[in-house]
Amino acid sequence: MTDSKYFTTTKKGEIFELKAELNSDKKEKKKEAVKKVIASMTVGKDVSALFPDVVNCMQTDNLELKKLVYLYLMNYAKSQPDMAIMAVNTFVKDCEDPNPLIRALAVRTMGCIRVDKITEYLCEPLRKCLKDEDPYVRKTAAVCVAKLHDINAQLVEDQGFLDTLKDLISDSNPMVVANAVAALSEIAESHPSSNLLDLNPQSINKLLTALNECTEWGQIFILDCLANYTPKDDREAQSICERVTPRLSHANSAVVLSAVKVLMKFMEMLSKDLDYYGTLLKKLAPPLVTLLSAEPELQYVALRNINLIVQKRPEILKHEMKVFFVKYNDPIYVKLEKLDIMIRLASQANIAQVLAELKEYATEVDVDFVRKAVRAIGRCAIKVEQSAERCVSTLLDLIQTKVNYVVQEAIVVIKDIFRKYPNKYESVIATLCENLDSLDEPEARAAMIWIVGEYAERIDNADELLESFLEGFHDESTQVQLQLLTAIVKLFLKKPTETQELVQQVLSLATQDSDNPDLRDRGYIYWRLLSTDPVAAKEVVLAEKPLISEETDLIEPTLLDELICYIGTLASVYHKPPSAFVEGGRGVVHKTLPPRTASNESTESPETAPAGAPPGEQPDVIPAQGDLLGDLLNLDLGPPVSGPPLATSSVQMGAVDLLGGGLDSLIGGTNFVAPPTAAVPANLGAPIGSGLSDLFDLTSGVGTLSGSYVAPKAVWLPAMKAKGLEISGTFTRQVGSISMDLQLTNKALQVMTDFAIQFNRNSFGLAPAAPLQVHAPLSPNQTVEISLPLSTVGSVMKMEPLNNLQVAVKNNIDVFYFSTLYPLHILFVEDGKMDRQMFLATWKDIPNENEAQFQIRDCPLNAEAVSSKLQSSNIFTVARRNVEGQDMLYQSLKLTNGIWVLAELRIQPGNPSCTDLELSLKCRAPEVSQHVYQAYETILKN
Amino acid sequence: MIHSLFLINSSGDIFLEKHWKSVVSRSVCDYFFEAQERATEAENVPPVIPTPHHYLLSVYRHKIFFVAVIQTEVPPLFVIEFLHRVVDTFQDYFGVCSEPVIKDNVVVVYEVLEEMLDNGFPLATESNILKELIKPPTILRTVVNTITGSTNVGDQLPTGQLSVVPWRRTGVKYTNNEAYFDVIEEIDAIIDKSGSTITAEIQGVIDACVKLTGMPDLTLSFMNPRLLDDVSFHPCVRFKRWESERILSFIPPDGNFRLLSYHVSAQNLVAIPVYVKHNISFRDSSSFGRFEITVGPKQTMGKTIEGVTVTSQMPKGVLNMSLTPSQGTHTFDPVTKMLSWDVGKINPQKLPSLKGTMSLQAGASKPDENPTINLQFKIQQLAISGLKVNRLDMYGEKYKPFKGIKYMTKAGKFQVRT
């Protein structure tokens, strides 16, 4: 007799049959019928039509029958809300039952009935159960609050259940505490702003006590809750760590990982010199290793987390390389993760072993895995310099196997090795060229073309090789086309005589026959460069490339710090902050690692603030290989904030020497045909200079002679204070130079001579770039206008306010001092336009605390006007978006000292009643925000 | 927390669903099926699959996918651990965990699942407690229930649920009081072509079967507790006592449970009890290859190695094999290319070997990959790490229990590369 009998049907129709049985007088028959109903429900059959009949069976003293009916109710109440009310009475009665099991069951079930109408009736029984004498009932009631909150949050708040729940954190029973924490955490997740889990040293102590005694699942909830707490100093952090460490020996891997999270987070506060710090590091390794002997699904999650931990604190697992060696029957998702960690742990000490393993993996069957293994060998070569030679020879061995995908992967990584160690391993090029024909993947083809172009002078038949690719130019992917274009231009610059035809061909293919804007633009750039100034072209195209950094695919440090706070969660599996993927983006609170605060130090000292590594130590993050390839030209690579891109300067040169025909010197006598004007887009027409600058988006730099806004002169030094000398002035910025326009008036009765000026040290290092030159002596009642050029290379001292400038002026009579405030926009430099991608990344990267909000009142301008007005003062609009009728401008600007300020400006056009602009500024040095805002206001209102 | 659970068989049918919150349509599983299709083998289905509104976390055991649906940020390990616990519970209840058995007991399954989670929060996962709440089906009980009309749902509050020892019920009575402990060690190892060890580690567990009356308090001490530096305990073990004295002190759950699992890492030298000599060669331009392997004992501390089986996934190019074993039986499946050889016991005087030829696809080039040999074996009465129990004492009860300790070493993932 098994339950499968419940699935048998009869001819008359199942529902009919069941209905009759449910209404039977016999208890036993009733129960059997309910079982049949449940069985149908579990397999997804719709038995909701039986609702009234099943509910009728609820009033029973048979516990099993009751439970079965409850099961049914939970499933179908939602679809039959009116009927569900019939059940309320029984619930209320059951909540008074002497048997705590029945009370708990009732409170548990009624929370699962997701019908609005019912919830009101349930508040009273729930309130009673929360204060029940039996902890089993209390702990069930705690969860019920979370259920009710999910259905009707307002009701829960109005009824004061949240406070009762908070009280339960201090309950004497650890299981009740754990459930209360779990319920509160779940509620808090949907209300990130509410301060539900208000943790203080007392409540932490209670949680730690409960931690030792509650169930494994309760321990997870409590540990996750502890991780949100920020201890006040290192002593408190250490004492919490000490009490959490025993959890590392728990059999439940989720408990272990949650404990690891707490420790990793609080460790941040401990001083590295502490003995305890070392002990803790040692204690972390074994549990992590043990996680890897669990079931593969658990291993996978553990490995994703270990990946983060290894990046944050490589010292923990540096001796455990071997546990990450791949077993051939590991599931593929485990294999790939292990490989990743192997590379992260690779060092000079263990590289031989790692390479031997990787070579072994490269002969496995699974294609994805083999590819990744080959790539890993390349990454090892780049990471551990001593091993590079070994890696290259391993890769050559692999190329000899002639297995198609192995060869292609190998070529892609060898290209990176060339970039890391230029002029060292080029002897292998010949071997690579042999495999040219077998390459069919874009990435491999592009890599090979790059190699041929880069080393064109050493490859005798480079032109033939590249020509062979050119035949099917239009069938290639963009990546390959771009690469081919660049490679041929390189070849031409290296061997101009033989390859002129080839370069003509590729340029016309790129500019005339392609509809890909990237390709076309790059084609034009090269064409112009070659036709205007080949020397500059050489400088640009054959410029020395920055070395690629050793560690690839590193997670960017601030993100890593955030992810460390999310160890053990989905965020850690995806290596993305929850805000990036959590459903509906319900304002997720960003978590950051706590700053290191020693107990004997004053907690207010501002130096302790930044948690991450100082900028100098931050490893350069290079993008994944795919992105890199497209950028091999390096026009737009380079470190993020490195002044004007390389191209700018050389192009300006070119613009000066328009069509200077310097090409002859390069190709000796042969005439280079200038591109046909027909192919040139309209704006590239007659004055080729402006076309060029358009092409490079230099409008701001070259074109705007109008300069930024200049305030009218104001009196800085009244005559009565300076023995008759009156000085008024203002600051201007034009075409990249700052000057101070002064007006000196002699209101005394004697002639003034021997003028000189000096600035005190100031926030931005402003200093006179030339002496103050007043040519003739200033006779009484005479006025002279002088423009004093300023530089920003003077000595720096932070002033209060930031834009305060103290000036001393000397003449033959005396020395006079005055101070003035300069508008910040004179410091906005011309190359302050940030790339869109970079803007996005930087915006995300700057912590939210640094964001400042301002309002610019009564400014009835539309987005275009605002944008152009600001542009003339070097505030550049990076992107524009229209959201619900509001224009959002995203803008960037850069100060002379290299500080970037990002802005979001919200404009409501077509709404005359609302002419206020909202400005949000983000900057790594938040103290400038106020002044930038003032600059905005000044510019926009004038 | 955990929203819903779907049970899916290997042919892709959902044969059971359970929802702890609102009902999630089973169409959410389509994303799972997509992933299943992409993964060539069932084992390779990724355990975490994102969908637009939910996350699917799954484990694959007994040819069944247990797919949990979650909607908010939940620790994935928590979910996966729980799923494994569900499988263990089913196994414990029904002896085996398979689709027909689950279907046969669908109501019990449903009741058990309802007890295990409340609103997605774990409620009762200890099988001791669950069995008190919902009695596992037995033939006898079904008969009794039908005659007397009694039920298999307990109507008493499980006694252990709220005590300080939630894992043990009160009022346990046995006529024969006994406590057995099995020390089982598995060796995971990778051996390279030349026979040297690349990595080796030992995963050990101590499984207990304790049937003692009342509230016994046990202590277990080891001859060489230093071996255990990486351990995970059953919640019953008093951690403080272990930290200070290296003694396991605990009030045991009733029945079968895992007291301790431990890990002896690659740093310490791990003894490898067997070796494999192999000579597998493919020749270019020949449609035959040679195959020869011999298995022999290495560091066995004088114990016999038994239950030896050798399996190997041969390269695709191998059409068939004609082999002769010196002992045992062997099979080769020309479709899956799986060779398996059931060796049995190793007699050190006469080493078992398997020799012969392989016929290869004519005209094809020789296979790139070399087959890896997978080894299974057992050694009774030996814990290869050298772990030994010193003594077991009982406090708190007056009677004299019967005590027993067994040791065993097994191969875990033991692989020899060729």
Side-chain angles (χ1 to χ4, degrees):
Chain A
M1 286 265 277
T2 65
D3 291 352
S4 57
K5 66 176 185 277
Y6 301 128
F7 291 114
T8 52
T9 48
T10 54
K11 282 169 202 155
K12 271 192 176 176
E14 204 178 2
I15 300 284
F16 180 79
E17 188 103 328
L18 283 171
K19 208 175 180 97
E21 282 176 37
L22 282 170
N23 291 321
S24 152
D25 295 334
K26 281 191 195 152
K27 242 190 198 172
E28 199 48 40
K29 202 155 195 188
K30 252 188 190 173
K31 200 170 83 188
E32 288 300 296
V34 177
K35 279 196 176 179
K36 281 185 200 169
V37 174
I38 302 281
S40 310
M41 188 176 86
T42 55
V43 291
K45 275 186 203 159
D46 183 20
V47 283
S48 59
L50 295 166
F51 200 90
D53 309 282
V54 177
V55 172
N56 273 337
C57 304
M58 191 169 159
Q59 280 285 10
T60 169
D61 46 2
N62 182 316
L63 193 59
E64 186 182 17
L65 187 53
K66 202 184 248 322
K67 277 194 172 181
L68 289 171
V69 175
Y70 280 176
L71 273 179
Y72 179 89
L73 260 179
M74 286 185 242
N75 223 8
Y76 286 117
K78 186 130 205 188
S79 56
Q80 310 261 341
D82 295 326
M83 294 297 230
I85 292 197
M86 289 163 51
V88 169
N89 236 338
T90 322
F91 283 130
V92 177
K93 218 175 104 205
D94 281 356
C95 282
E96 312 267 337
D97 198 280
N99 184 345
L101 192 62
I102 299 208
R103 292 204 298 276
L105 183 65
V107 78
R108 202 174 109 198
T109 314
M110 65 194 200
C112 297
I113 297 179
R114 309 177 59 85
V115 176
D116 253 337
K117 277 190 202 158
I118 288 195
T119 46
E120 296 161 35
Y121 298 101
L122 302 180
C123 290
E124 275 324 300
L126 176 59
R127 201 186 314 281
K128 251 182 229 158
C129 289
L130 279 167
K131 303 234 158 92
D132 200 284
E133 49 170 21
D134 195 306
Y136 184 72
V137 181
R138 287 204 301 277
K139 90 172 195 176
T140 315
V143 175
C144 189
V145 175
K147 295 181 197 171
L148 205 56
H149 187 271
D150 195 29
I151 305 167
N152 190 343
Q154 197 55 43
L155 183 76
V156 170
E157 273 165 48
D158 296 346
Q159 295 279 334
F161 284 140
L162 291 182
D163 294 321
T164 323
L165 205 51
K166 279 188 214 165
D167 293 343
L168 286 184
I169 291 190
S170 322
D171 199 280
S172 57
N173 186 294
M175 250 82 83
V176 179
V177 177
N179 272 17
V181 169
L184 280 173
S185 309
E186 191 174 78
I187 295 172
E189 202 177 331
S190 53
H191 286 261
S193 50
S194 63
N195 204 6
L196 278 177
L197 281 163
D198 183 20
L199 297 175
N200 52 49
Q202 287 77 41
S203 57
I204 288 293
N205 201 21
K206 276 176 197 141
L207 289 181
L208 285 167
T209 315
L211 181 63
N212 288 326
E213 291 168 16
C214 66
T215 66
E216 48 196 313
W217 313 108
Q219 295 185 10
I220 301 170
F221 299 136
I222 293 183
L223 285 169
D224 284 347
C225 175
L226 276 178
N228 291 330
Y229 176 66
T230 310
K232 62 178 191 306
D233 55 37
D234 56 348
R235 249 180 252 152
E236 196 187 1
Q238 179 173 346
S239 89
I240 295 176
C241 287
E242 278 164 2
R243 294 177 71 176
V244 166
T245 330
R247 295 303 119 208
L248 293 176
S249 302
H250 203 285
N252 187 317
S253 57
V255 175
V256 175
L257 204 57
S258 290
V260 169
K261 162 163 63 185
V262 176
L263 295 176
M264 282 294 287
K265 197 174 168 193
F266 290 2
M267 248 176 128
E268 198 66 24
M269 296 184 68
L270 302 178
S271 155
K272 289 197 174 171
D273 315 325
L274 228 60
D275 285 346
Y276 181 69
Y277 181 86
T279 328
L280 200 53
L281 272 186
K282 271 194 212 121
K283 279 191 174 162
L284 277 171
L288 290 173
V289 171
T290 305
L291 288 179
L292 296 181
S293 51
E295 285 83 359
E297 299 91 0
L298 298 170
Q299 279 188 45
Y300 171 74
V301 178
L303 283 165
R304 291 294 286 174
N305 281 285
I306 289 174
N307 199 328
L308 294 175
I309 294 169
V310 163
Q311 288 183 58
K312 181 74 191 166
R313 299 192 183 280
E315 61 272 32
I316 295 178
L317 287 169
K318 65 178 172 202
H319 298 303
E320 304 289 347
M321 171 63 90
K322 282 184 173 180
V323 299
F324 298 103
F325 284 180
V326 173
K327 306 215 167 67
Y328 88 98
N329 48 4
D330 281 336
I332 180 73
Y333 55 81
V334 169
K335 282 184 178 174
L336 295 177
E337 289 306 317
K338 280 190 175 173
L339 203 53
D340 221 36
I341 295 172
M342 277 174 68
I343 303 163
R344 294 206 193 284
L345 289 176
S347 66
Q348 206 185 333
N350 54 25
I351 192 74
Q353 253 183 343
V354 174
L355 268 184
E357 280 294 304
L358 291 176
K359 199 175 172 188
E360 192 74 41
Y361 303 159
T363 62
E364 279 218 27
V365 199
D366 190 83
V367 178
D368 282 342
F369 181 57
V370 170
R371 280 172 183 276
K372 191 148 182 180
V374 175
R375 220 160 251 228
I377 296 176
R379 276 169 70 182
C380 284
I382 290 165
K383 190 171 173 198
V384 186
E385 183 160 7
Q386 292 80 0
S387 76
E389 197 161 344
R390 256 229 208 74
C391 295
V392 171
S393 72
T394 308
L395 287 170
L396 284 181
D397 286 351
L398 290 173
I399 289 179
Q400 299 303 349
T401 62
K402 305 269 176 203
V403 179
N404 185 290
Y405 52 85
V406 173
V407 174
Q408 310 212 39
E409 280 306 318
I411 286 181
V412 172
V413 294
I414 284 179
K415 174 213 69 193
D416 282 346
I417 296 178
F418 281 175
R419 286 200 58 193
K420 169 80 182 180
Y421 311 107
N423 306 319
K424 223 169 154 189
Y425 299 111
E426 282 72 11
S427 52
V428 307
I429 290 179
T431 324
L432 302 185
C433 289
E434 287 166 20
N435 293 287
L436 213 58
D437 301 330
S438 62
L439 309 179
D440 52 9
E441 288 162 26
E443 204 181 343
R445 286 172 82 86
M448 191 65 220
I449 292 169
W450 182 84
I451 292 172
V452 174
E454 188 67 17
Y455 299 101
E457 67 274 27
R458 307 188 198 188
I459 304 171
D460 294 335
N461 58 345
D463 47 345
E464 284 169 36
L465 293 178
L466 292 176
E467 202 172 355
S468 69
F469 281 105
L470 208 54
E471 281 161 19
F473 188 78
H474 289 296
D475 303 328
E476 300 283 4
S477 73
T478 314
Q479 192 184 13
V480 179
Q481 289 175 335
L482 285 169
Q483 221 35 256
L484 196 53
L485 172 61
T486 305
I488 291 179
V489 172
K490 282 182 189 165
L491 174 71
F492 170 68
L493 289 169
K494 287 174 177 170
K495 302 180 181 172
T497 40
E498 308 129 51
T499 54
Q500 214 196 338
E501 215 170 292
L502 195 63
V503 80
Q504 291 269 9
Q505 203 183 337
V506 76
L507 285 175
S508 76
L509 276 173
T511 52
Q512 291 171 29
D513 299 346
S514 167
D515 47 9
N516 181 318
D518 282 350
L519 184 63
R520 210 172 47 207
D521 285 359
R522 196 184 279 189
Y524 277 126
I525 292 171
Y526 284 145
W527 204 324
R528 291 289 159 194
L529 266 175
L530 291 174
S531 59
T532 49
D533 188 349
V535 184
K538 217 168 181 173
E539 263 174 53
V540 172
V541 179
L542 302 181
E544 211 166 290
K545 285 148 205 72
L547 290 183
I548 58 177
S549 61
E550 46 187 53
E551 196 73 72
T552 46
D553 298 344
L554 273 184
I555 296 177
E556 186 253 334
T558 44
L559 176 62
L560 180 62
D561 281 354
E562 192 181 350
L563 287 177
I564 288 287
C565 303
Y566 288 109
I567 283 178
T569 65
L570 282 171
S572 69
V573 174
Y574 287 105
H575 291 184
K576 284 180 196 158
S579 48
F581 63 89
V582 164
E583 171 86 336
R586 298 189 261 192
V588 178
V589 187
H590 282 274
K591 296 187 186 177
T592 45
L593 286 177
R596 178 161 299 144
T597 334
S599 46
N600 47 2
E601 253 175 61
S602 127
T603 41
E604 282 124 296
S605 102
E607 276 80 8
T608 50
E617 288 175 24
Q618 284 183 3
D620 286 329
V621 180
I622 70 164
Q625 275 160 331
D627 310 334
L628 243 185
L629 258 180
D631 281 344
L632 278 174
L633 183 64
N634 300 325
L635 269 171
D636 36 10
L637 199 67
V641 195
S642 63
L646 187 60
T648 324
S649 56
S650 37
V651 166
Q652 275 167 336
M653 263 172 57
V656 176
D657 184 23
L658 280 182
L659 292 171
L663 197 67
D664 295 12
S665 59
L666 190 74
I667 51 173
T670 44
N671 276 327
F672 188 86
V673 188
T677 20
V680 178
N683 66 342
L684 256 178
I688 218 149
S690 76
L692 249 185
S693 53
D694 265 359
L695 205 58
F696 281 95
D697 200 11
L698 282 173
T699 16
S700 46
V702 189
T704 52
L705 282 167
S706 57
S708 48
Y709 163 74
V710 180
K713 289 200 177 86
V715 176
W716 286 344
L717 184 70
M720 50 195 291
K721 275 196 181 170
K723 300 185 178 166
L725 174 67
E726 187 184 86
I727 302 179
S728 53
T730 185
F731 294 91
T732 60
R733 178 180 187 99
Q734 255 174 5
V735 207
S737 53
I738 310 168
S739 53
M740 189 175 185
D741 290 349
L742 294 168
Q743 183 177 331
L744 309 179
T745 311
N746 185 352
K747 294 201 172 167
L749 295 170
Q750 64 181 116
V751 176
M752 293 181 180
T753 53
D754 302 337
F755 285 96
I757 194 164
Q758 214 167 7
F759 292 175
N760 193 3
R761 287 192 286 170
N762 55 70
S763 313
F764 291 92
L766 283 175
L772 186 65
Q773 283 181 332
V774 183
H775 293 295
L778 201 60
S779 19
N781 278 328
Q782 195 191 348
T783 297
V784 65
E785 303 250 357
I786 305 156
S787 181
L788 177 71
L790 303 183
S791 71
T792 52
V793 293
S795 32
V796 175
M797 182 174 74
K798 197 172 168 192
M799 298 297 289
E800 191 55 47
L802 207 61
N803 57 343
N804 193 5
L805 182 67
Q806 294 176 335
V807 185
V809 174
K810 191 200 91 150
N811 62 10
N812 59 336
I813 301 169
D814 204 345
V815 183
F816 312 105
Y817 302 94
F818 65 90
S819 66
T820 177
L821 299 177
Y822 50 90
L824 213 62
H825 69 259
I826 61 163
L827 301 170
F828 297 171
V829 297
E830 277 68 21
D831 62 334
K833 179 157 187 172
M834 207 179 240
D835 167 63
R836 277 180 101 132
Q837 293 300 323
M838 177 84 80
F839 183 89
L840 264 176
T842 319
W843 184 273
K844 278 190 195 145
D845 195 29
I846 298 177
N848 281 343
E849 311 76 278
N850 284 9
E851 182 166 345
Q853 309 266 2
F854 303 97
Q855 276 211 331
I856 301 170
R857 300 205 173 274
D858 305 323
C859 180
L861 294 170
N862 65 10
E864 284 80 21
V866 166
S867 182
S868 69
K869 227 171 176 176
L870 291 172
Q871 168 121 347
S872 58
S873 291
N874 294 336
I875 299 174
F876 300 97
T877 303
V878 177
R880 181 179 161 182
R881 203 151 65 96
N882 191 293
V883 183
E884 293 157 8
Q886 301 182 336
D887 278 318
M888 312 281 283
L889 294 179
Y890 296 90
Q891 301 179 313
S892 72
L893 62 95
K894 192 167 99 177
L895 299 177
T896 45
N897 57 356
I899 294 178
W900 285 93
V901 181
L902 309 185
E904 181 192 83
L905 193 61
R906 185 193 298 262
I907 304 167
Q908 297 176 319
N911 185 357
S913 65
C914 187
T915 49
D916 295 351
L917 310 186
E918 278 173 41
L919 177 69
S920 313
L921 294 174
K922 258 192 167 185
C923 177
R924 286 188 207 276
E927 55 270 33
V928 305
S929 297
Q930 178 65 30
H931 303 283
V932 172
Y933 155 64
Q934 283 166 2
Y936 259 85
E937 199 160 30
T938 336
I939 298 164
L940 287 173
K941 298 224 170 136
N942 290 287
Chain B
M1 295 290 121
I2 300 172
H3 220 101
S4 306
L5 173 73
F6 293 97
L7 267 54
I8 299 172
N9 63 18
S10 40
S11 52
D13 300 322
I14 304 171
F15 65 93
L16 187 108
E17 57 184 298
K18 167 84 185 119
H19 307 275
W20 284 277
K21 294 184 164 187
S22 52
V23 177
V24 177
S25 156
R26 52 166 72 191
S27 62
V28 76
C29 292
D30 293 348
Y31 295 96
F32 181 82
F33 296 137
E34 267 172 42
Q36 196 182 5
E37 218 159 279
R38 266 197 302 275
T40 40
E41 279 160 62
E43 287 81 9
N44 287 341
V45 179
V48 184
I49 301 168
T51 79
H53 302 288
H54 302 90
Y55 290 87
L56 306 177
L57 282 84
S58 64
V59 303
Y60 180 67
R61 280 178 68 180
H62 307 291
K63 300 210 162 31
I64 301 172
F65 288 101
F66 294 78
V67 185
V69 183
I70 59 172
Q71 202 162 22
T72 48
E73 175 68 271
V74 177
L77 273 189
F78 159 92
V79 180
I80 295 174
E81 273 277 357
F82 177 80
L83 290 176
H84 280 296
R85 207 60 64 84
V86 168
V87 184
D88 294 342
T89 309
F90 287 173
Q91 213 165 358
D92 197 30
Y93 260 79
F94 312 123
V96 279
C97 178
S98 66
E99 187 185 346
V101 167
I102 291 175
K103 277 186 171 163
D104 280 353
N105 296 287
V106 69
V107 177
V108 176
V109 165
Y110 222 68
E111 286 172 334
V112 168
L113 287 176
E114 184 61 31
E115 286 305 328
M116 288 183 85
L117 280 187
D118 175 21
N119 195 35
F121 298 107
L123 196 61
T125 50
E126 283 283 339
S127 87
N128 267 313
I129 292 167
L130 278 173
K131 281 185 176 167
E132 263 185 84
L133 285 167
I134 295 150
K135 304 215 168 58
T138 59
I139 293 171
L140 181 66
R141 187 165 304 121
T142 328
V143 174
V144 170
N145 283 356
T146 11
I147 296 168
T148 61
S150 65
T151 74
N152 61 344
V153 172
D155 50 6
Q156 282 304 306
L157 187 61
T159 45
Q161 187 84 311
L162 289 161
S163 69
V164 270
V165 278
W167 53 86
R168 188 174 178 90
R169 58 195 172 101
T170 49
V172 184
K173 274 214 178 77
Y174 289 102
T175 41
N176 296 325
N177 288 297
E178 43 194 22
Y180 297 112
F181 293 87
D182 293 346
V183 180
I184 303 167
E185 298 194 335
E186 291 192 358
I187 309 177
D188 288 352
I190 303 176
I191 313 285
D192 75 0
K193 283 185 190 56
S194 58
S196 49
T197 312
I198 293 181
T199 114
E201 51 191 3
I202 296 170
Q203 312 290 349
V205 294
I206 300 184
D207 282 344
C209 174
V210 178
K211 294 180 172 167
L212 297 173
T213 308
M215 270 288 167
D217 198 331
L218 303 179
T219 58
L220 187 74
S221 62
F222 298 97
M223 307 278 268
N224 37 10
R226 273 154 176 260
L227 274 172
L228 304 176
D229 60 344
D230 180 6
V231 280
S232 317
F233 297 116
H234 188 275
C236 69
V237 175
R238 295 180 181 104
F239 189 72
K240 283 242 165 67
R241 195 84 193 273
W242 169 257
E243 284 275 89
S244 57
E245 301 168 55
R246 298 273 141 178
I247 283 175
L248 294 179
S249 157
F250 56 98
I251 296 173
D254 185 39
N256 294 310
F257 67 100
R258 176 156 296 172
L259 177 64
L260 158 79
S261 54
Y262 57 95
H263 177 93
V264 180
S265 69
Q267 251 95 52
N268 310 6
L269 274 178
V270 174
I272 302 292
V274 283
Y275 70 88
V276 178
K277 250 190 1 205
H278 50 81
N279 181 9
I280 301 171
S281 59
F282 306 102
R283 258 165 300 161
D284 266 329
S285 72
S286 157
S287 56
F288 282 97
R290 274 221 311 227
F291 184 94
E292 181 178 349
I293 50 176
T294 311
V295 190
K298 220 168 155 187
Q299 296 157 288
T300 60
M301 330 282 166
K303 301 280 195 301
T304 327
I305 304 174
E306 30 184 353
V308 181
T309 51
V310 175
T311 49
S312 181
Q313 174 77 51
M314 302 308 288
K316 285 195 192 74
V318 177
L319 288 181
N320 213 338
M321 305 182 80
S322 101
L323 303 171
T324 342
S326 69
Q327 72 179 69
T329 52
H330 81 284
T331 53
F332 175 73
D333 183 342
V335 181
T336 59
K337 313 287 179 201
M338 185 62 84
L339 170 72
S340 76
W341 175 28
D342 190 352
V343 185
K345 239 182 236 173
I346 297 184
N347 176 0
Q349 270 74 50
K350 191 174 162 292
L351 296 179
S353 66
L354 182 67
K355 285 183 211 175
T357 55
M358 303 175 274
S359 54
L360 306 174
Q361 210 151 15
S365 61
K366 70 171 196 163
D368 299 316
E369 73 264 30
N370 290 322
T372 302
I373 297 169
N374 233 1
L375 218 57
Q376 287 298 323
F377 56 82
K378 255 192 279 189
I379 307 170
Q380 302 281 5
Q381 273 135 56
L382 172 74
I384 196 88
S385 68
L387 187 73
K388 271 224 160 67
V389 172
N390 186 19
R391 52 184 298 141
L392 175 72
D393 298 303
M394 186 183 77
Y395 304 93
E397 295 288 337
K398 296 246 159 53
Y399 55 85
K400 269 218 168 293
F402 189 80
K403 303 179 275 192
I405 296 201
K406 252 183 7 190
Y407 297 93
M408 173 146 74
T409 297
K410 290 199 286 193
K413 287 180 173 171
F414 198 101
Q415 306 183 346
V416 182
R417 292 178 183 158
T418 62

